[in-house]
Amino acid sequence: MTSTQQRAALQRQIWAIANDVRGSVDGWDFKQYVLGTLFYRFISENFCAYIEAGDDSVNYAELPDSVINPEIKVDAVKTKGYFIYPSQLFSNVAKTANTNESLNTDLAAIFSAIEASASGYPSEGDIKGLFADFDTTSNRLGNTVKDKNTRLAHVLKGVAGLEFGSFEDNQIDLFGDAYEFLISNYAANAGKSGGEFFTPQHVSKLIGQLAIHGQSSVNKVYDPACGSGSLLMQARKHMNAHNIEEGYFGQEINHTTFNLARMNMFLHNINYDKFDIKLGDTLTNPHFGDEKPFDAIVSNPPYSVKWIGSDDPTLINDERFAPAGVLAPKSKADFAFVLHALNYLSSKGRAAIVCFPGIFYRGGAEKKIRQYLVDNNYVETVISLAPNLFFGTTIAVTILVLAKNKADTNIQFIDASLLFKKETNTNTLTDEHIDKILAVFDSKENIDHFAQTVLVETIADNDYNLSVSSYVEAEDTREKIDIKVLNAELETTVAKITQLRTEIDAIVSEIEGAEMAGGEA
């Protein structure tokens, strides 16, 4: 099955499930049940593959729970991070879902058992709470147990009907596609719901490739506001997994998306010891201080959110913010995320950060932070993108690329605002658009109306303005008019009008003469 066919089949199936439960479960809540079920199916199949180890004579799903000895369970948890008994597998639960009168409570018990299996083991923090948003007893599924079970059975049967073979053999990002499809079809509630942002896959692809560009290997990848983990996964996709030596790290403030990010790691078959996703406020309670520096940082932090800023007098002495000598405004935390990423960046790496365009030209504290970044030669490239690329916002965002190992002090500006493909509700970047941006990013070539490398002195003289439009002149698409040619055409036209008037006057005189002659007769 091709990627296009897989994606179409996935979307048809998800929409069919949505129709089954529509009216009872809000679209944004519904995504938790679909994605949670996808995750449940994946870890079940993945666990079976681990136990069976390629032995066709073993069918783990058909074994009785009683044959599992404690040693098998311990070894599995140490390796996979969790344990699932045969009776708890997705396939076995889905098989009897339509007739199971205690389906909702059975599922709750299974999810609790899977999470509890990691208790006391190194994977405990990565497994705990993964199913917290899959509330099988919620009244959102129905007022009666029967209603809840009916709708849960529809979801289980629907996900069971996805005939894609092995998850690892899929031609698409199953989890990311499901997530993006659900968001795009529930646009009224999605994209920015609960303060979370989702980075579309085509934008994630660009950001991921910018961060790892030119690096044959990286120690680890980090996203300080990781959302559902889509940016981390794009970095993985475009760099062989073996070339990311120590794994994937991220922090997320929203509990729902924190769970989704951890699910995303498992769904991409990243073992628990190769990722570390933490819950919390990156700006005021940062994790991974002992893990830095990172060779690749990718991020799409929330735009212009409020933070405590100067109300906390200790933050100005924080090693992340102190070098700039000023904190980001309390009403706009954008540059706080930028400075955090810079502090976590290694001397050989890159950070690619999606930013609100206003931070590149506003005055006050933001100008002082720009001056710090420019004067210390941390800004490699600023890229303006087309509007309406993201769900939940139509603004034209900007990508800021930071580096600590620049060969010169110049700064590159790329105007990619005209690179987009118009879709029904949003614009998208095609592979050709991404390749064009990456090619000029690599070459640093000056291209009229598209890319310009600017001397740092010019930027300083321009009040440290980093807006792309200040340095890349937009192409004038208006029709050019040659005044000499226009004047010549006007002279010709005037001459023709004069001649026509003379001819008309002659005709009128002739008519009037004929009328007078007729009257005398």
Side-chain angles (χ1 to χ4, degrees):
M1 188 180 288
T2 66
S3 61
T4 301
Q5 291 171 328
Q6 283 190 358
R7 186 172 289 108
L10 170 71
Q11 294 177 354
R12 283 195 304 271
Q13 189 67 48
I14 289 174
W15 201 242
I17 304 169
N19 286 330
D20 283 337
V21 298
R22 195 193 308 278
S24 172
V25 184
D26 176 80
W28 193 243
D29 293 328
F30 167 72
K31 84 179 192 321
Q32 308 299 341
Y33 293 101
V34 176
L35 297 177
T37 304
L38 279 170
F39 175 67
Y40 175 36
R41 173 180 164 178
F42 173 79
I43 63 171
S44 293
E45 294 180 0
N46 190 273
F47 192 80
C48 283
Y50 162 73
I51 294 292
E52 293 166 5
D55 187 344
D56 293 337
S57 66
V58 179
N59 187 330
Y60 184 67
E62 294 182 355
L63 296 177
D65 291 356
S66 58
V67 305
I68 307 300
N69 64 54
E71 289 184 5
I72 292 177
K73 183 175 181 179
V74 170
D75 287 343
V77 175
K78 287 180 177 179
T79 304
K80 298 301 294 179
Y82 59 92
F83 186 85
I84 306 177
Y85 282 100
S87 65
Q88 298 171 335
L89 293 169
F90 170 85
S91 59
N92 286 332
V93 175
K95 193 185 304 179
T96 60
N98 288 334
T99 57
N100 185 352
E101 295 181 355
S102 59
L103 177 63
N104 67 326
T105 53
D106 284 352
L107 281 172
I110 289 170
F111 297 157
S112 178
I114 294 173
E115 292 183 13
S117 69
S119 295
Y121 291 91
S123 60
E124 181 176 359
D126 300 309
I127 303 295
K128 186 177 181 180
L130 272 176
F131 292 98
D133 293 299
F134 198 130
D135 186 357
T136 63
T137 62
S138 171
N139 287 334
R140 292 176 299 179
L141 288 168
N143 293 322
T144 67
V145 171
K146 183 178 180 181
D147 288 340
K148 292 179 176 68
N149 289 339
T150 298
R151 292 188 174 94
L152 286 169
H154 280 310
V155 176
L156 288 168
K157 290 292 187 180
V159 171
L162 295 172
E163 298 178 358
F164 291 162
S166 168
F167 276 74
E168 296 178 40
D169 296 332
N170 288 332
Q171 297 297 314
I172 61 172
D173 177 356
L174 180 64
F175 187 80
D177 274 53
Y179 193 55
E180 187 162 341
F181 178 71
L182 286 166
I183 287 177
S184 63
N185 280 278
Y186 294 107
N189 297 336
K192 199 176 175 182
S193 176
E196 72 183 20
F197 284 78
F198 174 74
T199 309
Q201 290 184 43
H202 51 95
V203 182
S204 297
K205 182 177 181 180
L206 171 62
I207 296 168
Q209 291 191 71
L210 286 168
I212 64 175
H213 183 77
Q215 302 189 71
S216 58
S217 67
V218 298
N219 63 350
K220 41 202 164 187
V221 184
Y222 171 58
D223 186 344
C226 68
S228 62
S230 60
L231 284 170
L232 292 172
M233 291 303 91
Q234 283 298 332
R236 177 180 187 266
K237 182 177 291 187
H238 298 288
M239 177 171 277
N240 188 299
H242 298 296
N243 293 338
I244 298 177
E245 297 163 359
E246 298 176 49
Y248 309 85
F249 298 77
Q251 185 164 344
E252 172 57 33
I253 194 171
N254 181 287
H255 196 277
T256 295
T257 34
F258 161 68
N259 286 335
L260 290 173
R262 292 187 295 158
M263 287 183 184
N264 213 353
M265 299 297 117
F266 283 107
L267 280 163
H268 284 84
N269 209 23
I270 299 173
N271 214 39
Y272 74 91
D273 58 347
K274 284 296 183 181
F275 75 84
D276 196 349
I277 308 296
K278 299 292 189 185
L279 178 67
D281 188 329
T282 297
L283 300 182
T284 59
N285 184 28
H287 291 279
F288 309 120
D290 294 335
E291 293 287 348
K292 66 181 183 180
F294 296 87
D295 290 343
I297 297 178
V298 290
S299 193
N300 177 21
Y303 312 138
S304 301
V305 295
K306 296 178 181 178
W307 75 307
I308 192 169
S310 58
D311 285 346
D312 182 348
T314 66
L315 285 175
I316 193 59
N317 297 315
D318 189 302
E319 65 175 17
R320 299 169 296 165
F321 312 125
V326 66
L327 296 172
K330 289 187 293 183
S331 60
K332 303 174 183 68
D334 307 73
F335 265 128
F337 284 104
V338 170
L339 291 174
H340 172 91
L342 179 67
N343 178 258
Y344 276 49
L345 184 64
S346 75
S347 59
K348 77 163 194 169
R350 281 194 180 92
I353 308 166
V354 181
C355 299
F356 184 80
I359 71 170
F360 293 97
Y361 59 80
R362 291 191 296 239
E366 290 178 319
K367 177 198 166 183
K368 292 179 181 178
I369 295 173
R370 290 197 305 273
Q371 181 174 350
Y372 162 73
L373 295 173
V374 171
D375 287 349
N376 287 276
N377 202 29
Y378 293 136
V379 181
E380 180 175 6
T381 301
V382 184
I383 307 169
S384 62
L385 298 182
N388 205 29
L389 290 174
F390 292 77
F391 299 114
T393 179
T394 60
I395 63 172
V397 300
T398 300
I399 298 176
L400 174 65
V401 182
L402 302 175
K404 294 181 178 179
N405 60 346
K406 291 173 58 184
D408 55 47
T409 59
N410 301 330
I411 296 177
Q412 180 189 42
F413 295 88
I414 301 174
D415 183 358
S417 60
L418 298 181
L419 299 183
F420 65 91
K421 178 183 178 183
K422 183 68 177 175
E423 300 287 357
T424 305
N425 296 318
T426 59
N427 296 326
T428 62
L429 292 172
T430 66
D431 287 344
E432 289 75 18
H433 295 149
I434 293 171
D435 290 343
K436 182 175 181 179
I437 294 170
L438 290 171
V440 75
F441 173 74
D442 178 65
S443 70
K444 298 297 188 285
E445 178 185 2
N446 289 334
I447 301 175
D448 289 345
H449 315 301
F450 183 59
Q452 189 71 36
T453 297
V454 180
L455 296 173
V456 67
E457 293 82 6
T458 302
I459 293 168
D461 291 341
N462 195 24
D463 216 23
Y464 292 93
N465 186 320
L466 291 177
S467 294
V468 173
S469 60
S470 296
Y471 305 100
V472 181
E473 182 181 1
E475 185 175 6
D476 188 348
T477 57
R478 295 175 299 178
E479 182 181 359
K480 296 181 179 179
I481 299 173
D482 188 323
I483 298 300
K484 291 182 178 179
V485 173
L486 179 61
N487 285 336
E489 291 176 350
L490 287 173
E491 289 178 5
T492 301
T493 301
V494 170
K496 288 181 179 179
I497 292 173
T498 301
Q499 181 182 349
L500 287 172
R501 283 176 176 169
T502 301
E503 293 174 356
I504 291 170
D505 289 344
I507 293 171
V508 171
S509 295
E510 184 179 336
I511 292 172
E512 289 176 344
E515 289 178 347
M516 290 178 63
E520 292 175 354

